[in-house]
Amino acid sequence: MREYAIYDVFTAERYHGNPLAVVFEADGLSDTEMQAIACEFNLSETIFLLSAQHVSQSAAARIFTPSGELPFAGHPTVGAAVALAERQHGGDTEIDMVSVLGEKIGPVRCAVKLRQDAAGFAEFDLPKLSRRSDEAIAREKLAEALGITVEEIGFENHVPTIWSAGVPYAFIPVRNLNVMEKLDFDPRLWQSFTPLVDGLPTWAYAYTRGGVRHDAHFHTRMFAVDAIVEDPATGSAAAAFSGAIQYFDAPGEGSHSFVIEQGVEMERPSYIRLNLETGASGEVAAARIGGQAICVARGTLL
């Protein structure tokens, strides 16, 4: 029997954010068994924590969607880091610590903060910086798949581009929050024209400036051709979005912090913190993704 926990990630409130299943002590499970368990939970992602493969690691990790394995994902990383810290030190402990998860993409370093009577917080360094793909998609196809007009795509100098920090996304700027609210994604149409990048499908990430919450810098929605068509919070997309923000907004040398709002239309509001460190040349030197996570349920796999 193996213990598991369900966490809501990128939120401090239960039943908001993005739900995640965390399976502890997953050693001995085959790939087929992990996939079957992920399908049983039927959440956007399930993370399996195994014995560390290196002395510097806190645990090894495998991440599965209901349809396959991912080399890296943001909300499982944040949720698992908080879950592991609470399991090791107790939920009422106040502690600042560092853990390293050995994911398929490589070791992911996480800073974790636990505080009494508060949701845990974790922030991780991007294991791979965002890079732009040379692939391009016609605006007409993007508009048709999102159920909007071509004229509603783009704002300021932002135009559609594809970026990846381990998982590829097509970043589609739209005019305003009203357009975001009326998006009507067609997964079959999307799948018919989007390219594979590094062997992985490209998912849709629509965004606009501002947000419903006063401190949000960007309001976003993410759509995939999967069992979970829309995702309430997508850390790997926020990681890739760092490249688009730097490319279009050019914030300049120094440290920059952004709040990315997602999941509002699903009534699961989520808030992802993105921090960029840029050098004198304007390139991103480092980036971090952070957010809170709160436990919703605990149980045992029979």
Side-chain angles (χ1 to χ4, degrees), residues 189-209:
L189 184 58
W190 180 264
Q191 194 172 28
S192 71
F193 63 77
T194 48
L196 294 176
V197 176
D198 298 329
L200 294 172
T202 302
W203 293 346
Y205 190 84
Y207 69 96
T208 196
R209 200 179 295 284

Side-chain angles (χ1 to χ4, degrees), residues 155-185:
F155 65 83
E156 301 165 9
N157 64 331
H158 287 245
V159 297
T161 47
I162 296 176
W163 298 79
S164 175
V167 179
Y169 294 90
F171 290 92
I172 309 155
V174 303
R175 185 182 299 166
N176 53 39
L177 289 172
N178 291 334
V179 178
M180 292 291 291
E181 186 176 358
K182 71 177 185 179
L183 296 181
D184 185 16
F185 182 69

